[in-house]
Amino acid sequence: MTEGLHQDRAGCGLKALRSLLPVLVILALIALVPLFSPSNRFLSLAISAGINVIALYGLSVLFGQTGILSMGHAALVGVGAYAAAILARDFGVGFWAALPAAALASAAFAMIVGIPSLRVGGHHFVIMTFAFGQLLAIVLTNGGDYTGAATGLDLAGPVTLFGADMSDLTRYYLMVVAFVTTAAVASWAIINSSYGRTLRAIRENEKLAASLGINVGRHKIGAFVVSGIFAGISGVLLAYFLGHISPSQFSSFPSIYLALMVMIGGARLIEGPLAGGILVAFLPEVLNLDPVQSRIVYGVCLIAVIMLLPDGLIGGVVRALRAALSGKPKPETQQRNATPSEARR
Amino acid sequence: MKTVLKMGASAALCLGVLAHPAFAEDNIVKIGVVAAESGSFVSAGHTLPAGVGLAVKQINDAGGINVGGKNYKLEMVKRDDRTDIATAIAATQELVRDVKVQAIFGSETHDFTLAMAKITQPAKIIHFAGNSTLAKILTPDSVKPGGEDHYLFQSEPQEFQRSGSTARGVLTLLEPLLGYKPKKSVMIVGNDATGQFLSSYYFKALKAEGQDVPDIIFYPPDTTDFSPFLTRAKSLNPDIIHFWYNGDSTLTALPQALELGAAKSYFLFGVDPGIWKEKQLSADVPVAMSCVPVCWGESSNPKAKAYFDAYFAAGAPHGVTSSVSLLYHDYVHFLAEAWEKAGSFDPDKTVEALLTLHHQGVVSDDLTFNPTHQVTHATEVCAAAPGGAISCSMQQPPAEAPKS
């Protein structure tokens, strides 16, 4: 009996590991891109997209696993970016030391916002996080010299790794790919942990989960804090990449874009944030769309995804592939969704 | 072996064909432009490539430039930043590293320019931006040889100069139309990076002209209903309401202000008299307008008409801020002159030449850069009388910033 249980767990572990493999393969291929001498424009856009993807992995834990949509996620990225810039300016703290500090700052902000916001939940939480994004932009805009007001802050410090200057575009690109890989693995580890199953149980039926002894409020705040850590790291990478940050980069509109990316890509699958981040970053570039046309396309994509592909683009692709291979469709959600009793196990 | 030889010959032929255009391009000097040709900042953004493009055409039509005894033609390579910082940065990386431009113009958005300078300056690319907020980073230390902004130039006067000349012009032109000396002013300002920066200087300029300025009212960017801000302004009983700085927002706010009777007169920053006429706007009170730096709808500048005739003939649309193109057009000519004087495209020699030249442009017959790489010139202010007659005058900037 015990042996059977061990075999079951080993099988599950292997299956979980197999779900990570496609992302790792894709990221390995992405890491090889510099070998083909891409243009610097491409590398620059890819870095921006990669930085977004890191934040999206955090958002996917919150939205995909817990079912809570934040419309103020860019504000958490902003907290990380401003923490890095202020630490560098006032204390001479460099890139690597800023990473954990900014991640903690964003996580702390997520907790401060999360405690009152998650008491209401649902649509109210969306509104609360949206308001938080706006509020942060107002605070930063009116923060005087400390936040650089509306002009923002400069960050000119070099990024070095083992003595090598990482400011070079190709090196920064590879570094961002490494961070995206870490974020993907971390997100995968959360999804496949008992904690991930607990979050999914809350997502599926909050009341039932609570009746089984799961502390729903604490776990929801925890998920928001975890997403804040991802956002903080994303903010540091952004601040050092641009060399200048300002409040407008972290207002509500960029938050809506982040939510859009994760919804289009698919929040519940490990490939989703990667697909969403790349798609939204490169679609206007490939199709030569201006911002108005882009928004129309994103809007249409979002409607299509909500109506036809509830697991996002990647979920749809996976389902289509499975249907093509086996001859009958098998919704991805069936595999991913956990019941509260499963979570308790 | 034969096959290998054939392949080698084919490859060499292909390389030869590919190499030919590069050889032909030896006499081409590329100038990059990064501007918002789409997105929320398009109004000012589209003027940038239009101004630079016109200057490039004028220079090429006149035979190009002669640098070190060799003739060169200019080529503008423009990129739309879509009013998005990630795209602006990617475009700058492309222009600097892939296209290998000799100089970059733009962008009109302050935050973007600062981030772009992080790429252009280490690469020693001459960078012009018509953005007075650059004063925050252009210091004697930053622009000295080896300094982090040695190759960065501000092609718009320092803000105390522009605010000073604008405030003086507005008050001078409105006084005879009001029939008395205006004493009280209220500012209504867009609450963003540019608005915050500019308004602090304009406030001081108005105070230096003896104005009582009881309040600066900030409105969120993209506001369409100005009634709460206008009601607040009206309660202060001002002689003039100064709408500062976004021309598009101002055109939305003015009809609401006139409807409400918020003040005895108005000043619209960055709205050209040309737009006033084209939109057939009218007011029962005097309305002053200013252009950055010279107006196209009506002007006291003798060179403006010829410039704007050529500018619009080249296909540029009539816009609220078409005159912003002059913050770039003149400096392409200025840069070309600097290259000819330096006899080289070497960025350090070019900077030296730019700092010593006195250039004859459209905006001024004597354009020069000060030691911190900032230009000085007059600003044009116009006023529409209640009857519709418009008068304009070029206002010289104050020599010194007002004491706060």
Side-chain angles (χ1 to χ4, degrees), chain A residues 107-132:
Chain A
F109 259 82
M111 188 185 280
I112 292 164
V113 177
I115 289 171
S117 307
L118 286 163
R119 288 178 72 87
V120 288
H123 302 309
H124 299 99
F125 178 77
V126 174
I127 294 165
M128 293 277 274
T129 50
F130 185 84
F132 165 64

Side-chain angles (χ1 to χ4, degrees), chain A residues 311-343:
Chain A
D311 289 337
L313 214 61
I314 290 297
V317 170
V318 170
R319 230 181 330 162
L321 281 175
R322 286 204 176 129
L325 292 173
S326 67
K328 53 183 175 184
K330 187 180 178 186
E332 183 68 17
T333 41
Q334 270 181 19
Q335 284 193 335
R336 293 278 172 203
N337 294 352
T339 60
S341 55
E342 185 193 350

Side-chain angles (χ1 to χ4, degrees), chain B residues 146-157:
Chain B
E148 60 185 31
D149 295 311
H150 183 55
Y151 308 96
L152 182 61
F153 287 83
Q154 178 184 317
S155 57
E156 183 173 56

Side-chain angles (χ1 to χ4, degrees), chain A residues 38-42 44-45 48 141-142 145 148-151 154-156 167-169 241-244 246 248-249 284-285 288-291 294, chain B residues 38-40 79-80 82-87 89-91 93-94 97-98 110-112 114-116 118 133 136-137 148 191-194 196-197:
Chain A
S39 70
N40 286 290
R41 182 186 181 94
F42 175 88
S44 184
L45 285 170
S48 299
T141 303
N142 295 287
D145 287 343
T151 304
D154 262 6
L155 209 163
S167 309
D168 172 76
L169 217 50
F241 175 56
L242 295 178
H244 181 83
S246 62
S248 60
Q249 292 164 247
E285 193 72 7
N288 197 23
L289 303 174
D290 69 32
S294 303
Chain B
S38 57
S40 57
R79 293 290 180 266
D80 179 7
R82 298 184 184 128
T83 321
D84 168 52
I85 192 160
T87 312
I89 293 305
Q93 293 281 12
E94 180 193 6
R97 294 167 192 247
D98 298 331
H110 170 66
D111 316 352
F112 296 10
L114 292 176
M116 283 167 63
K118 305 283 179 205
T133 48
K136 281 200 167 183
I137 58 167
E148 60 185 31
N191 195 13
D192 59 14
T194 315
Q196 280 189 359
F197 181 80

Side-chain angles (χ1 to χ4, degrees), chain B residues 43 246-255 258 268 270-283 289 296-297 317-322 390:
Chain B
S43 176
N246 186 316
D248 295 313
S249 297
T250 297
L251 285 176
T252 309
L254 181 68
L258 292 170
L268 321 177
V271 173
D272 199 288
I275 290 292
W276 182 267
K277 287 181 194 169
E278 278 193 358
K279 288 186 180 278
Q280 297 181 320
L281 297 172
S282 64
M289 291 161 261
W296 58 266
H318 291 189
V320 177
T321 50
S322 294
I390 295 176

Side-chain angles (χ1 to χ4, degrees), chain A residues 55-259:
Chain A
L56 291 179
Y57 271 113
L59 197 55
S60 75
V61 170
L62 187 68
F63 179 54
Q65 303 306 308
T66 325
I68 307 166
L69 182 60
S70 165
M71 281 291 180
H73 212 62
L76 294 179
V77 177
V79 170
Y82 270 84
I86 290 168
L87 284 171
R89 182 194 63 190
D90 294 349
F91 304 102
V93 173
F95 174 81
W96 295 103
L99 278 172
L104 280 176
S106 292
F109 259 82
M111 188 185 280
I112 292 164
V113 177
I115 289 171
S117 307
L118 286 163
R119 288 178 72 87
V120 288
H123 302 309
H124 299 99
F125 178 77
V126 174
I127 294 165
M128 293 277 274
T129 50
F130 185 84
F132 165 64
Q134 287 291 79
L135 193 66
L136 185 86
I138 291 168
V139 168
L140 293 174
T141 303
N142 295 287
D145 287 343
Y146 191 69
T147 61
T151 304
L153 294 175
D154 262 6
L155 209 163
V159 181
T160 53
L161 180 63
F162 304 122
D165 182 9
M166 302 302 285
S167 309
D168 172 76
L169 217 50
T170 305
R171 287 180 183 170
Y172 207 88
Y173 170 84
L174 291 172
M175 189 173 76
V176 169
V177 172
F179 272 98
V180 171
T181 310
T182 311
V185 172
S187 177
W188 168 85
I190 292 168
I191 290 170
N192 291 287
S193 66
S194 62
Y195 178 63
R197 283 190 290 276
T198 305
L199 295 181
R200 287 197 292 282
I202 293 168
R203 181 191 73 199
E204 292 306 315
N205 194 329
E206 205 173 305
K207 282 179 183 167
L208 187 56
S211 74
L212 290 169
I214 294 172
N215 189 333
V216 172
R218 200 184 69 195
H219 279 98
K220 281 163 83 174
I221 292 167
F224 199 33
V225 168
V226 167
S227 76
I229 292 170
F230 285 81
I233 290 167
S234 167
V236 177
L237 285 162
L238 183 72
Y240 274 89
F241 175 56
L242 295 178
H244 181 83
I245 49 170
S246 62
S248 60
Q249 292 164 247
F250 311 109
S251 62
S252 299
F253 203 72
S255 290
I256 293 170
Y257 262 91
L258 286 177

